[in-house]
Amino acid sequence: MSQQYLNNIGLVDSGVAEVVSIIEEFFNYDGRTAYVFTSDHGMTNWGSHGAGHPSETLTPLVVWGAGVQTAQRATDPQPYIDEYLQDWKLEQIRRVDVNQADIATLMASLIGIPIPVNSVGVLPLPYLNNTDHFKAQSMYTNALQVLEQFKVKMTQRKDTTLSFFFTPYQLLTESKQEEFIERAKMLIRLQKYVDAVSLCQSLISHALEGLVYYHTYDRFFLGCSVVLGFVGWTSYVVLLILKTHASLIRNPSILRQIPNHTLARVFMCLAVAIVAFLLVQKSPMTYYIYCLLPVPVWYSVLKESGTLTDLIHSAPSLPLWKCLSYFLLVALGVELLVVSFFHRAMLTLGLAVLSLWPFVCGIFGRSKLWSLSWFFSCLCLAVFPLMPVMGRESNIHLVLCGGVMTFFTSACFLFSLWQRSVLHPCDRQQFAIQMLHVVVCAYVPFLTHSSLQQKQGLPLLNQIISWTTLASSLLVPLLSSTRLFHRLLSILLSLTATYLLLSTGSEALFPPALSWLMYGWINIEQEAMLAQGVPGRQELSTIDFSANIDISKIRQLKLDDIRRSYFFVFFIITAFFGTGNIASINSFDPTSVYCFLTVFNPFIMGGLMMWKVIIPFIIVMCTFETIQVVTQLSSRSLFLIVLVISDLMALHFFFLVQDYGSWLDIGTSISHYVIVMSMTIFLMLLSVVTHTFTSQRLALWRRPKMHFP
């Protein structure tokens, strides 16, 4: 645009990255013309949805026409560090930035119409070319319009709150409102326009703060209800663990337990009182859910008061220092997991700390091989959280490396199995076919990538191999033996083949690296049980998933099981954030699914990427299923501990939920809370799937019976 037509320029902090409009409004009023142009791409430079970065939320604003101030020369250095003025070669022009909400107020003032009723914008006076009296009157009108919204909100809150509970916004009480208005009128009459504008801006600022105050008036009350529910539910789960799965209760309770009928009456009266209180305040229906939910939870907690009493009397006989150290370590571990949702590099720190576990706990002296294997596997996996979640540059050679690593790992593993036990010929044939299939699936993305670069399209054979691999990925492992390592190897080969077809770079190395660590975890847990003197140790190669578990061998929970449950949660989070997550599906690289289809289909593409995210989960879940079998512990026991850990994380994320900032900040805070809240349910459903995946078998042919040593 030539300089002679430019009247004023600035940037709009849109705050919403989805607004895509080139011309916001065109007005023609009383012979005067004003043009307001804005635009907002709201996207990153590679085409995904924008976030909170200035390049994605700041949009150009150009205003010119009658009633608009001409561009002013900048005499002093301007306080902007985004370098947009330098890029546009407009360093000599004074830049005036506004919020997106301010544009409606500006346009209304330019054409002389009332400001929209629900507008929360502040009139940007530097854009106006008019008298000081007009500016003062316009700002006064703006202040009255925002103040009216504040009054409506205050009246609504006052009508739904008991008088002795209502606390008005102290900076803008009814008396202070009248005082502000009268002073503004007087200053305008006295022609002190600068002071009048300053006073009106102060009134608008207080009114906007008051709107937020009344909008979040019940936040503390509702937050306390939610926290009470969380604490009560976590306490109930802990008491349930102590009552049914831990051998802590040795003596009967000395204190008298509260009768159940008395307790029920007390909580029934409490529920009636809460309902009456909410009815008087005309609260919405959601308030009843928030406030009444803690009542049955705490009733269940107090019903178990006898268990708590027994725990108190058993405290002198407990290893208190060990209990406190475990509690401190779990608390620090939970905080590390919470921070890892925002900074994936914290998983690298966590893996580095976990790598030292065998050396600290004395397992290294008993089993140097598995301790060193655990150490190096943790360090190898620790590299992945430092890599970007997604990239625009494909590196198919790394996919080939991932296939070679999986093939080499499987070959070494089969050699160790051949040394320790007998492999059925059918199992050897199936493993050989699966290993060759992995190599083929590692080569298919290379062929597809080359064909697409040469503009020859997706080869039909590659597409058939890809879809056949996907369809058979959950069926082929069911054909293998249910011996522990036989089934785990078949699952790894089947899932990795599909994962390689959906990979474009370094993420192809993640499944083999994760499987190394999971294999070491299984063996080192066996050594940990031996170090603790747990009876009934069984050779891993002889364990069968499908064998019925002897109920008499299922042991009680120990403090070390807290560590096992925490390791499981940590590895699940690592599987989620290691190479990709749900957020990456929103803006993934389409080349990831080119082995399956090249025509855009969001539902099929999204489903394929979701399956890619779930595959590392299944690897960890199958390992956890194995840990439960090896340690002779019921899945219900360990999942109760996992439930406590996830509830502690969810409580922390509840305090981090925010309703301000960019859409990415708001959405991220909510999604983190929802993910952790639903994590336990998702893991329980996935546990059912993996239990079937590991213990069931499809027999397509009869095999002769073989006796293993």
Side-chain angles (χ1 to χ4, degrees):
M1 181 183 300
S2 61
Q3 186 63 40
Q4 59 179 334
Y5 295 112
L6 183 63
N7 288 88
N8 219 321
I9 188 170
L11 289 177
V12 183
D13 184 3
S14 65
V16 181
E18 297 286 294
V19 180
V20 183
S21 60
I22 303 301
I23 300 178
E24 185 72 47
E25 195 63 70
F26 168 84
F27 291 108
N28 192 318
Y29 175 75
D30 195 21
R32 298 179 298 166
T33 304
Y35 300 87
V36 181
F37 286 77
T38 66
S39 68
D40 185 3
H41 51 83
M43 303 181 74
T44 61
N45 56 3
W46 62 81
S48 69
H49 289 289
H53 192 270
S55 64
E56 299 156 6
T57 58
L58 294 179
T59 57
L61 171 65
V62 180
V63 183
W64 81 94
V68 178
Q69 181 64 265
T70 57
Q72 303 295 309
R73 293 285 177 178
T75 57
D76 299 324
Q78 303 191 60
Y80 302 107
I81 59 175
D82 48 33
E83 299 182 354
Y84 286 118
L85 289 176
Q86 290 81 354
D87 295 340
W88 299 340
K89 303 185 184 303
L90 294 174
E91 302 97 319
Q92 74 280 7
I93 303 298
R94 184 167 66 100
R95 180 176 129 190
V96 181
D97 288 7
V98 299
N99 293 321
Q100 187 182 29
D102 301 339
I103 299 178
T105 308
L106 173 62
M107 291 190 293
S109 178
L110 288 173
I111 64 174
I113 63 173
I115 299 173
V117 176
N118 295 319
S119 171
V120 291
V122 181
L123 179 63
L125 293 179
Y127 280 83
L128 297 181
N129 180 21
N130 215 312
T131 62
D132 292 339
H133 178 264
F134 176 83
K135 293 179 180 179
Q137 285 286 1
S138 299
M139 187 59 69
Y140 175 71
T141 303
N142 190 186
L144 291 180
Q145 174 261 332
V146 177
L147 181 61
E148 192 61 32
Q149 293 185 71
F150 170 82
K151 290 180 178 180
V152 171
K153 196 68 177 179
M154 182 182 67
T155 303
Q156 291 176 350
R157 184 57 60 190
K158 195 172 183 179
D159 292 341
T160 57
T161 306
L162 296 177
S163 58
F164 51 87
F165 283 137
F166 180 72
T167 303
Y169 182 61
Q170 297 299 323
L171 296 179
L172 209 58
T173 58
E174 295 183 0
S175 59
K176 290 184 179 180
Q177 295 175 28
E178 296 297 330
E179 181 181 350
F180 269 112
I181 294 174
E182 292 300 326
R183 285 181 57 194
K185 290 180 179 179
M186 182 183 64
L187 289 173
I188 293 175
R189 284 196 301 268
L190 296 176
Q191 298 183 358
K192 296 182 179 181
Y193 302 124
V194 176
D195 295 337
V197 168
S198 177
L199 182 64
C200 291
Q201 289 175 339
S202 177
L203 176 58
I204 292 174
S205 177
H206 290 326
L208 294 176
E209 292 175 1
L211 281 172
V212 175
Y213 172 79
Y214 286 120
H215 180 69
T216 60
Y217 188 80
D218 290 332
R219 176 172 293 180
F220 179 76
F221 169 67
L222 296 176
C224 289
S225 298
V226 174
V227 171
L228 279 175
F230 265 113
V231 175
W233 170 248
T234 306
S235 302
Y236 175 73
V237 174
V238 171
L239 290 176
L240 186 63
I241 292 173
L242 296 176
K243 180 180 179 181
T244 59
H245 298 282
S247 56
L248 296 176
I249 303 173
R250 301 177 181 178
N251 301 315
S253 300
I254 299 177
L255 296 179
R256 187 176 178 183
Q257 189 173 350
I258 303 174
N260 287 341
H261 61 275
T262 303
L263 194 64
R265 290 174 183 173
V266 171
F267 275 87
M268 186 64 70
C269 294
L270 179 61
V272 171
I274 292 174
V275 171
F277 175 76
L278 296 177
L279 284 174
V280 171
Q281 293 211 131
K282 302 177 183 178
S283 301
M285 290 300 298
T286 52
Y287 282 38
Y288 292 85
I289 300 176
Y290 290 131
C291 297
L292 290 177
L293 191 59
V295 175
V297 173
W298 279 102
Y299 169 72
S300 301
V301 171
L302 294 181
K303 276 183 63 178
E304 303 295 337
S305 58
T307 303
L308 183 59
T309 303
D310 291 334
L311 176 63
I312 294 173
H313 286 286
S314 302
S317 62
L318 296 175
L320 294 181
W321 284 110
K322 190 175 182 180
C323 294
L324 290 176
S325 62
Y326 260 84
F327 176 79
L328 180 61
L329 288 175
V330 170
L332 292 175
V334 169
E335 290 304 309
L336 184 142
L337 290 178
V338 170
V339 178
S340 68
F341 274 70
F342 302 95
H343 307 284
R344 294 169 60 240
M346 294 302 297
L347 294 174
T348 300
L349 175 63
L351 286 168
V353 174
L354 292 185
S355 66
L356 304 176
W357 166 57
F359 307 96
V360 175
C361 298
I363 302 176
F364 179 74
R366 182 176 296 274
S367 178
K368 294 182 174 59
L369 176 62
W370 292 119
S371 298
L372 291 175
S373 175
W374 169 272
F375 176 77
F376 289 110
S377 298
C378 284
L379 294 184
C380 289
L381 196 65
V383 176
F384 289 93
L386 299 177
M387 298 179 180
V389 174
M390 53 186 176
R392 300 301 302 167
E393 297 295 331
S394 299
N395 192 338
I396 303 299
H397 297 289
L398 291 178
V399 180
L400 291 173
C401 291
V404 172
M405 288 175 58
T406 304
F407 182 87
F408 178 75
T409 302
S410 305
C412 294
F413 184 69
L414 284 176
F415 180 77
S416 65
L417 285 181
W418 180 74
Q419 292 288 333
R420 290 184 297 175
S421 61
V422 179
L423 272 174
H424 193 279
C426 293
D427 289 329
R428 288 199 297 267
Q429 294 173 6
Q430 179 176 343
F431 289 144
I433 294 173
Q434 285 190 273
M435 291 169 63
L436 292 176
H437 186 218
V438 167
V439 175
V440 171
C441 290
Y443 193 60
V444 165
F446 179 80
L447 293 177
T448 302
H449 185 75
S450 301
S451 178
L452 293 176
Q453 280 189 332
Q454 297 172 10
K455 308 298 183 182
Q456 296 178 357
L458 173 61
L460 179 60
L461 179 60
N462 294 6
Q463 191 174 21
I464 292 175
I465 293 175
S466 300
W467 284 107
T468 304
T469 301
L470 176 66
S472 61
S473 59
L474 293 178
L475 180 63
V476 172
L478 299 179
L479 301 176
S480 65
S481 171
T482 53
R483 304 299 283 269
L484 189 145
F485 286 132
H486 296 185
R487 178 54 62 90
L488 291 180
L489 177 60
S490 181
I491 291 173
L492 173 64
L493 291 173
S494 182
L495 294 179
T496 303
T498 305
Y499 198 90
L500 291 173
L501 293 171
L502 293 168
S503 300
T504 59
S506 59
E507 75 271 19
L509 306 176
F510 187 72
L514 181 63
S515 63
W516 294 345
L517 182 57
M518 295 297 100
Y519 180 60
W521 186 25
I522 295 172
N523 286 275
I524 207 167
E525 285 292 355
Q526 181 84 331
E527 298 297 333
M529 288 186 62
L530 184 62
Q532 295 170 2
V534 178
R537 181 179 183 270
Q538 187 178 0
E539 183 65 30
L540 291 177
S541 59
T542 63
I543 297 177
D544 197 311
F545 279 116
S546 62
N548 294 326
I549 299 177
D550 188 356
I551 301 298
S552 62
K553 291 184 178 180
I554 296 179
R555 57 177 178 82
Q556 297 290 340
L557 280 173
K558 298 181 180 297
L559 285 175
D560 212 37
D561 295 319
I562 301 177
R563 174 192 56 76
R564 294 185 177 97
S565 299
Y566 177 78
F567 278 12
F568 168 65
V569 176
F570 182 87
F571 292 140
I572 283 292
I573 301 299
T574 303
F576 187 65
F577 287 109
T579 58
N581 50 48
I582 293 176
S584 65
I585 296 177
N586 188 39
S587 50
F588 70 95
D589 188 355
T591 58
S592 300
V593 297
Y594 278 174
C595 291
F596 294 85
L597 74 166
T598 54
V599 179
F600 182 75
N601 190 319
F603 296 103
I604 296 179
M605 289 180 170
L608 291 172
M609 292 303 298
M610 181 64 74
W611 179 240
K612 180 182 178 182
V613 171
I614 292 177
I615 285 176
F617 285 178
I618 298 178
I619 295 176
V620 177
M621 282 299 306
C622 290
T623 305
F624 193 56
E625 180 79 16
T626 307
I627 296 295
Q628 295 173 27
V629 175
V630 171
T631 58
Q632 299 175 352
L633 193 63
S634 66
S635 59
R636 182 170 180 263
S637 304
L638 288 178
F639 262 107
L640 285 175
I641 302 177
V642 172
L643 181 61
V644 172
I645 295 174
S646 62
D647 284 341
L648 293 176
M649 294 175 60
L651 181 60
H652 192 140
F653 279 116
F654 173 73
F655 290 106
L656 297 179
V657 173
Q658 63 186 48
D659 58 355
Y660 56 88
S662 68
W663 74 271
L664 180 64
D665 296 333
I666 298 172
T668 299
S669 65
I670 296 175
S671 63
H672 285 170
Y673 175 68
V674 173
I675 287 172
V676 176
M677 282 288 293
S678 58
M679 183 175 68
T680 304
I681 300 175
F682 171 73
L683 293 180
M684 291 181 67
L685 295 176
L686 198 59
S687 176
V688 176
V689 175
T690 52
H691 178 72
T692 304
F693 206 31
T694 54
S695 61
Q696 300 300 317
R697 185 178 185 182
L698 296 177
L700 299 183
W701 53 80
R702 293 183 60 86
R703 302 186 181 188
K705 293 184 178 179
M706 300 190 65
H707 300 280
F708 291 86

